[in-house]
Amino acid sequence: MQKEDLKDLLNRYRSGAVTEEERAFLENWYLHFRDTDNKPEYSASHRAEDADSIWLSLQEDYEDELEYENVQEHNSEDEQAGKEENDEQAGLSLWQRITAAAAILIAVSFGLYFYLAYKVNPHAEFAAHPIKQEIVPGGNNATLTLADGRKISLTDVKNGELARQSGIVVTKAADGQLVYTVLRTPKQSKYLQYNTIATPNGGQYQVQLPDGTRVWLNSGSSLKYPAMFSAKQRKVELNGEAYFEVARDKSKPFLVTTSRQTVQVLGTHFNISAYSDEASVKTTLVEGSVKVSAAKGQKIIKPGQQAILSEDLLEVQMADIEETMAWKNGYFRFNNEKIDDVLRKLSRWYDVQFQYEAMPSDEGFNGVISRSKNIGQVLKMLEKTKVIHFKTEGRRITVMP
């Protein structure tokens, strides 16, 4: 794509004359642009100096244009007010929109919307079968199972009080989260009443526990916890993936157990990915300090680190926090991920099944995309690499090289 083409597309975006596909480029690369210090990332297979040259050239051109526009705006206060109102409704200032679009256009010009870590085949063709787009992304879907066995669909139930348990009121808030509120301090009992919140594939949910701890559950996950914690500790059981913001209480350590490990904290922010179909359990620390204990050892990790439990081996390494937190923040972020891992994440979020006609290359995918997109849009973006293609039949999707 030539510089003139980039400027034309940028102008059409600013005037609202872009196609839906071009708008999708904008929305998703703006996410990427926002999270990378106002500068897009480039593949090592492309010349960074060329990308920087286009970036600076576009920036200089539009700084000149902005200066001209500012002069024109001062000629009419009414026109300026109207423009400011439009910009406010758009949610971004003119310069923010221009730089975001420039980041996107540069990325598009270098074929970086979705790319592989190796050179793609320029003669590859798209799949002959169109990708259907009626499969929508997941949302706030979950089921609450109370200690007495009652099941409540949090997707369908109205906002408001759902149940009362030993001085605890359970409420579905207006923002969709499940909240436990202590009305009175109940007498301690040796028998705890356990509730379980479970999200299906295509679901996610947020719960605030009785101690004030906030938990975000990813797709295909469940959290078992007492309606009232014991006097000595706060212990929950996780299957799947969740992000925790633990309320501080030095007298009661917070424990998260999975089938293979236990994480102990006093008050901190961390993410645990412990899906049964994953080869490893990953505990990523954002803030504070946690101790991860497994069958053959334990590790204390610091912010920015990740404990990885593979079979019986527990290791600590530096974490990619943006990649780990992407699901909670509303997007997918793939950092040299194998296609199996990419499709496993898509399968959980969109509640679809992938099958392979033939195994594609095991090279890594890199890219960022909003989780609010339909599955068809996501697969089309993956197809832009021209090394992988898809055929959809209902919720079954065939993967072809």
Side-chain angles (χ1 to χ4, degrees):
M1 183 180 290
Q2 300 299 315
K3 177 181 171 183
E4 290 74 16
D5 298 325
L6 296 177
K7 291 174 63 177
D8 175 66
L9 185 54
L10 179 55
N11 282 325
R12 287 192 290 108
Y13 156 67
R14 294 176 62 209
S15 64
V18 291
T19 66
E20 286 302 314
E21 184 176 6
E22 291 166 341
R23 189 174 300 279
F25 276 118
L26 169 63
E27 293 173 355
N28 290 284
W29 273 100
Y30 175 69
L31 275 175
H32 185 57
F33 162 77
R34 182 187 62 189
D35 293 335
T36 51
D37 296 327
N38 295 346
K39 193 79 174 285
E41 296 176 355
Y42 304 103
S43 167
S45 62
H46 296 290
R47 296 175 57 198
E49 60 268 27
D50 291 343
D52 287 338
S53 176
I54 294 178
W55 172 273
L56 293 174
S57 179
L58 278 173
Q59 182 172 330
E60 290 170 358
D61 289 348
Y62 282 99
E63 281 177 343
D64 293 340
E65 183 177 339
L66 274 177
E67 183 178 354
Y68 171 78
E69 289 180 352
N70 287 335
V71 172
Q72 295 296 100
E73 288 169 5
H74 285 297
N75 292 336
S76 172
E77 293 183 358
D78 291 339
E79 182 177 343
Q80 182 181 13
K83 177 177 178 57
E84 290 175 349
E85 181 179 355
N86 290 337
D87 279 352
E88 183 178 353
Q89 293 173 350
L92 291 169
S93 69
L94 176 62
W95 177 240
Q96 284 176 313
R97 285 183 286 131
I98 289 174
T99 52
I104 295 161
L105 295 172
I106 292 171
V108 172
S109 69
F110 284 89
L112 294 179
Y113 191 82
F114 262 100
Y115 57 85
L116 290 177
Y118 63 92
K119 185 178 293 185
V120 301
N121 179 5
H123 302 294
E125 298 180 356
F126 285 93
H129 303 277
I131 298 173
K132 300 177 182 179
Q133 298 190 27
E134 66 271 15
I135 299 176
V136 298
N140 284 341
N141 305 318
T143 299
L144 172 66
T145 303
L146 299 174
D148 60 9
R150 282 184 294 160
K151 292 182 180 293
I152 301 174
S153 172
L154 299 176
T155 311
D156 303 324
V157 71
K158 295 181 179 179
N159 297 339
E161 183 177 318
L162 303 181
R164 294 192 177 218
Q165 299 174 301
S166 303
I168 305 292
V169 62
V170 186
T171 306
K172 179 182 177 182
D175 60 2
Q177 71 171 311
L178 189 66
V179 178
Y180 283 73
T181 304
V182 179
L183 297 181
R184 57 182 172 82
T185 303
K187 295 181 179 180
Q188 290 290 338
S189 171
K190 65 171 65 175
Y191 302 107
L192 299 179
Q193 293 181 314
Y194 283 91
N195 295 343
T196 301
I197 182 172
T199 57
N201 285 346
Q204 62 181 15
Y205 220 83
Q206 181 181 344
V207 57
Q208 180 175 306
L209 300 178
D211 67 332
T213 292
R214 300 170 68 192
V215 184
W216 286 257
L217 274 181
N218 202 352
S219 304
S221 304
S222 66
L223 184 74
K224 183 179 179 181
Y225 52 93
M228 179 189 68
F229 289 113
S230 72
K232 295 182 178 180
Q233 65 180 17
R234 297 169 290 168
K235 185 177 181 180
V236 301
E237 299 176 23
L238 172 67
N239 179 35
E241 183 170 19
Y243 174 73
F244 294 82
E245 291 186 353
V246 177
R248 293 187 179 277
D249 187 344
K250 293 183 179 180
S251 65
K252 292 183 181 181
F254 194 96
L255 304 175
V256 182
T257 65
T258 70
S259 62
R260 300 171 59 187
Q261 68 174 32
T262 298
V263 174
Q264 178 178 337
V265 303
L266 295 176
T268 188
H269 299 179
F270 60 98
N271 190 86
I272 299 178
S273 179
Y275 286 107
S276 59
D277 60 350
E278 298 280 1
S280 60
V281 178
K282 297 179 181 179
T283 304
T284 307
L285 185 61
V286 178
E287 177 184 309
S289 177
V290 303
K291 180 171 68 175
V292 182
S293 301
K296 295 185 178 180
Q298 61 184 31
K299 300 285 186 180
I300 295 178
I301 59 176
K302 300 178 181 179
Q305 292 183 332
Q306 183 178 76
I308 301 177
L309 176 62
S310 299
E311 296 181 350
D312 292 330
L313 181 62
L314 183 62
E315 296 182 312
V316 175
Q317 64 181 31
M318 295 305 296
D320 185 335
I321 298 297
E322 289 184 355
E323 179 182 359
T324 299
M325 299 305 301
W327 72 268
K328 175 183 173 289
N329 295 330
Y331 59 96
F332 296 103
R333 186 183 184 94
F334 304 127
N335 183 13
N336 198 32
E337 287 201 49
K338 302 297 188 289
I339 187 61
D340 281 349
D341 297 327
V342 171
L343 298 186
R344 192 178 297 115
K345 292 180 179 180
L346 297 182
S347 176
R348 293 190 190 114
W349 182 235
Y350 292 97
D351 190 20
V352 296
Q353 292 183 337
F354 288 95
Q355 63 183 22
Y356 293 88
E357 183 177 275
M359 291 301 296
S361 170
D362 62 354
E363 295 291 342
F365 278 84
N366 297 268
V368 178
I369 184 170
S370 169
R371 279 163 56 109
S372 66
K373 296 302 178 186
N374 290 347
I375 187 67
Q377 294 172 288
V378 178
L379 298 183
K380 282 184 177 179
M381 292 168 186
L382 287 171
E383 281 194 336
K384 289 183 181 295
T385 62
K386 298 186 179 180
V387 295
I388 190 170
H389 307 94
F390 303 93
K391 178 176 68 175
T392 61
E393 296 174 318
R395 290 191 172 272
R396 185 173 65 245
I397 302 175
T398 302
V399 183
M400 302 173 290

